[in-house]
Amino acid sequence: MLVHDATAQTSDTLVIGGVPLNSRFLFGTGRFPSPAIFQQALEASKAEVITFAVRRVDLDHAEDDSILQHVQDRKLIYLPNTSGARTADEAVRIARLAKAAGLGNWVKIEISGSPVTLLPDPIETLKATEQLVKEGFTALPYTSDDPILCKRLEEAGAAAVMPGASPIGTGLGLLNPYNLSLIIESANVPVIVDAGIGSPKDAAEAMELGAAAILANTPVAKARNPVAMAKAFALAIEAGRLAHAAGRIPKKRYASASSDLAGSLFGEPQSDNGGGIG
Amino acid sequence: MPLKHNWRDFQLYVITAGGCHPGRELVHVMEETLKGGAGMLQLRNKTGSRQEVLREAKELRALTRAYDVPFIVNDYPDIALEVDADGVHLGQDDQAIEEARRLLGQDKIIGISTHSLEQGLAAERAGADYIGVGPVFPTNTKPGRAAVTTSYVSEAARHIRIPFVAIGGITLDNVGEVLAAGARKICAVSAIVGSEDPARVCRSFLEAIRSAEAGGHAIRIRLNGKETTTSAGNVAELVEQLGQGNKRLVAEVNGMMIQRSDWTSAALTPGARVELIQFVGGG
């Protein structure tokens, strides 16, 4: 099959921090209705990278669950996030903790500058990126969709940049596709659109713009059927990727027929007037 | 009137500090400490007139007698005699132990502050009944005096045979270190009389001292931001006792991460800040 051949091409393998990935879906693990549904959705997503958060153990509830217990048998790349951090120092500490737990050296730098919007603090994010790169981490900063900031993060050594489409959990989709395309255009590292994705349509849109991958959590976990939605996302991401590579048509103001008018049954026989309904 | 029990059994020694509780009556505050279990009480008033000290001494003598707790007067052997206190406490700059002994007789308790093992041994030879060992930590009660740290406490625990009391800057947060160094009698001033609830603080001090005496097992640590008492000796025991042994956790002690393979050898010391961290769903 053509589709199969296209995805199997090694030239289109996503490489982050030297690691080749077959899936362009980075899978968030929060807010699933149950561990069982989470596992099935993860399976359906075909994702190879999962994100999770680092928290103090709730000592009042010994049964309180740890996400990693449900994925221990799988071969996955762990992308712990630094959510909860408000400063670069706090983010660095969380990253070191995750590394010490033997989860590898990838980290999603997430430093919230506002409890209302959860938008990333650009200054602290850049500082944390610089520090963690220095410490040998594969640093993936979640950032606002600012082209200059993304460039600065790339220069600081980020393995990928992860601009948000819109604030975390809002499902508002791509609020500024123009900025995203500027970021993608100038980036020399993969651009992963993270946060704010509402549905597979948004994911496909971002991929068509040229995003290297999508990180999504809430739109899958909170869907009526998370397992089906995980599969829908996987397909949309793949579709968007293929569409980007295939090259979409330029937008035009007026219609242009998809069949030549020549040979139309109704007009005067003429040599070079097109026609026919598309 | 002699004490009904052996005064040497005291574990918590409280000293007055009127400046620490403005607006609250000295006698009232000190009664709270006795209710909380203070086993020895000292009147220290370096700024008041002799008349004032005498008045306070009379009040506290009556109070401590009601609680059958030894009462010590700082600096004034004559006042100690006049109010029939159980003894006096001297500083290194005060009159000699021998002189105080002549004045007070064999039955009174004579204690003295010492700041080095040398001074401690000298006090013992001179016939002191107990010594103060400190200041262990820097303290506002005795500004300008260098802290002797817990190293003198450890030396005293090894070499001093008469009762010794660790003193100076000791709070509920650092008492664990002092106990770990070998002290079994603790004196606190501002941490107790300067608190809103002196009785409660006394009870907490006694709890710490008693658990240290019970074999040094129960200690106070700060676990995930909360003050906790634990009998765990190391990180592995702590995690097991918390019922978290089957989880993939990260342990951090005093800001240092401890690999799981090292949990058994990672001893918990009093006052340790322990963070137990796990991984939860997130995007």
Side-chain angles (χ1 to χ4, degrees), chain A residues 139-154:
Chain A
L140 284 74
Y142 160 59
T143 164
S144 41
D145 59 359
D146 181 306
I148 309 302
L149 177 58
C150 285
K151 194 35 88 178
R152 293 288 301 272
L153 291 166
E154 177 186 317

Side-chain angles (χ1 to χ4, degrees), chain A residues 19-42:
Chain A
V19 178
L21 299 168
N22 292 313
S23 165
R24 291 174 179 270
F25 189 5
L26 284 71
F27 197 79
T29 59
R31 305 201 182 283
F32 279 86
S34 74
I37 290 176
F38 158 68
Q39 291 204 28
Q40 291 169 44
L42 175 58

